[in-house]
Amino acid sequence: MTGQALIAGVSGIIGGATAEVLTEAGWQVAGLARRPEGPASMVKVAADLLDPASLKTALAGQAPSHVFITTWLRQATEAENIRINSAMVRNLLDALRPAGSVRHVALVTGLKHYLGPFEAYGKGSLPATPFREEQPRLDIENFYYAQEDEVFAAAQRDGFTWSVHRPHTVIGKAVGNAMNMGTTLAVYATICRATGRPFQFPGSPAQWSSLTDMTDAHILARHLLWAATTPAAANEAFNVVDGDVFRWSWMWERIAGWFGIEAQPFDGVVRPLESQMADDGTIWAEIAAKHGLVEAEIGRLISPWHTDADLGRPIEVVTDMSKSRRLGFTTYQPTDDAFFTLFARLRAEKLIP
């Protein structure tokens, strides 16, 4: 089955991977972003989801059968996160309503569904791991819940099916992305190799020694495609991870080895990357000039605040995928291979040396 897809947030890690996967599967793909980028065959729709009038104009003539919402905007407070990010979903679905073409809407959120929003992340009374989709919402305001509610209301009103996808930390390629652990670690390792700085795990003892998992962007994209075309997956929420589990005490050495450096033994001290890399802009510009890299602005590549949030968690975070497995989604990706594939792509595209 193929269809006409509209991907909101196509220039991000998830949106970009989804455009690649759907294009390869023979879909007609339109990508929406303020500055859309994607496969050559993709229709580029430049629009701001917070501007309903311009959004309506930009989407004139578009009649997607399937909508993939892969974007959000970080705000200073959770109240603002709720206001802004729910409005983006609502404005998009309102703009598409007149065409009457939408059959399915897929919304990507994440594990903050279980862990709480940034203001209360990993605090208070949390559900036991592994996280399962049937666990109830936390008794706290959360913009993921507000986004879901906008999709549910529109689905009931307009008659389309929906799916919600909750990845763990996503590994994939995008420039200028707000949450980008893979590229952040690649830049950090490159700087350590160039300067002789020790490659130190920046996070907590709990993350160093506990089991965890992650989500390759292309695994997530294939899961979006699967849910959009599998009747049994309609109107369901799903966790989405690679399928393996690991400990950072093992993964950190694997990443160091790929870059040809030694992993510094972890001494239990939290050393946030936001502090470690605060003054690395000049160093990166010099590395970029020396190796002819295409992006000399380090801020376009790294998101240390987000990497610190994930690697600094005081609790185990691991996810159950049984629901998807029972319904037939069996795609698997070892997470170290996901990192290595990303690093090789960053090198091939001259984003790292």
Side-chain angles (χ1 to χ4, degrees):
M1 174 182 172
T2 60
Q4 292 180 284
L6 175 68
I7 302 169
V10 74
S11 296
I13 291 175
I14 299 167
T18 303
E20 292 172 3
V21 166
L22 292 178
T23 299
E24 289 168 2
W27 284 54
Q28 298 177 47
V29 177
L32 186 152
R34 283 172 290 181
R35 291 175 294 277
E37 299 177 3
S41 62
M42 185 185 81
V43 175
K44 296 175 174 61
V45 180
D48 184 344
L49 291 175
L50 291 172
D51 185 345
S54 69
L55 185 59
K56 182 178 180 180
T57 300
L59 289 171
Q62 294 293 326
S65 58
H66 295 71
V67 179
F68 301 87
I69 303 174
T70 70
T71 187
W72 72 289
L73 286 175
R74 187 187 184 199
Q75 305 299 310
T77 66
E78 191 59 19
E80 279 298 288
N81 274 329
I82 290 169
R83 185 179 70 83
I84 293 296
N85 289 288
S86 62
M88 290 165 60
V89 174
R90 183 170 60 253
N91 292 343
L92 175 62
L93 298 180
D94 284 349
L96 292 170
R97 181 168 301 116
S101 62
V102 177
R103 302 201 304 267
H104 184 85
V105 172
L107 172 68
V108 178
T109 60
L111 295 196
K112 286 189 288 297
H113 184 94
Y114 309 107
L115 289 163
F118 290 114
E119 292 179 0
Y121 190 63
K123 300 175 183 177
S125 178
L126 299 173
T129 56
F131 296 139
R132 291 182 170 88
E133 296 91 343
E134 64 269 20
Q135 291 167 329
R137 291 179 174 182
L138 301 176
D139 187 19
I140 189 171
E141 295 295 309
N142 189 323
F143 81 88
Y144 283 171
Y145 305 160
Q147 288 181 307
E148 285 185 345
D149 288 343
E150 292 291 345
V151 172
F152 299 159
Q156 186 173 27
R157 180 176 57 243
D158 299 336
F160 56 75
T161 60
W162 55 266
S163 56
V164 174
H165 305 255
R166 299 170 186 160
H168 200 163
T169 305
V170 178
I171 305 169
K173 181 252 176 180
V175 176
N177 194 268
M179 300 194 298
N180 195 344
M181 180 190 285
T183 304
T184 299
L185 294 181
V187 169
Y188 176 56
T190 299
I191 290 172
C192 289
R193 185 179 62 195
T195 63
R197 184 188 304 176
F199 186 61
Q200 298 175 311
F201 181 72
S204 68
Q207 289 307 299
W208 180 254
S209 59
S210 297
L211 289 172
T212 193
D213 47 28
M214 293 183 72
T215 307
D216 179 82
H218 286 82
I219 288 283
L220 175 52
R222 293 183 183 100
H223 193 272
L224 288 163
L225 173 57
W226 166 79
T229 56
T230 301
N235 303 326
E236 296 285 351
F238 297 100
N239 297 326
V240 192
V241 289
D242 291 340
D244 65 340
V245 294
F246 64 91
R247 303 181 200 276
W248 276 103
S249 55
W250 175 80
M251 185 67 76
W252 199 249
E253 291 191 0
R254 296 282 288 162
I255 292 173
W258 196 92
F259 285 94
I261 57 179
E262 293 291 325
Q264 185 82 357
F266 181 57
D267 60 5
V269 177
V270 178
R271 295 180 173 86
L273 287 178
E274 196 161 23
S275 300
Q276 288 196 54
M277 304 183 76
D279 300 319
D280 283 345
T282 300
I283 294 171
W284 185 255
E286 293 171 353
I287 291 172
K290 178 179 178 181
H291 296 280
L293 304 183
V294 298
E295 183 54 72
E297 172 52 55
I298 196 171
R300 296 269 296 155
L301 297 173
I302 66 171
S303 54
W305 69 272
H306 174 257
T307 301
D308 289 338
D310 276 5
L311 297 184
R313 291 180 296 212
I315 56 174
E316 176 186 81
V317 179
V318 66
T319 309
D320 182 76
M321 275 284 286
S322 298
K323 187 176 185 179
S324 293
R325 302 299 189 227
R326 289 188 182 106
L327 293 177
F329 183 81
T330 58
T331 307
Y332 165 82
Q333 168 71 68
T335 299
D336 51 340
D337 286 352
F339 272 120
F340 300 160
T341 298
L342 171 63
F343 299 157
R345 181 173 181 179
L346 295 176
R347 181 168 285 172
E349 298 185 17
K350 298 194 72 63
L351 286 163
I352 63 171

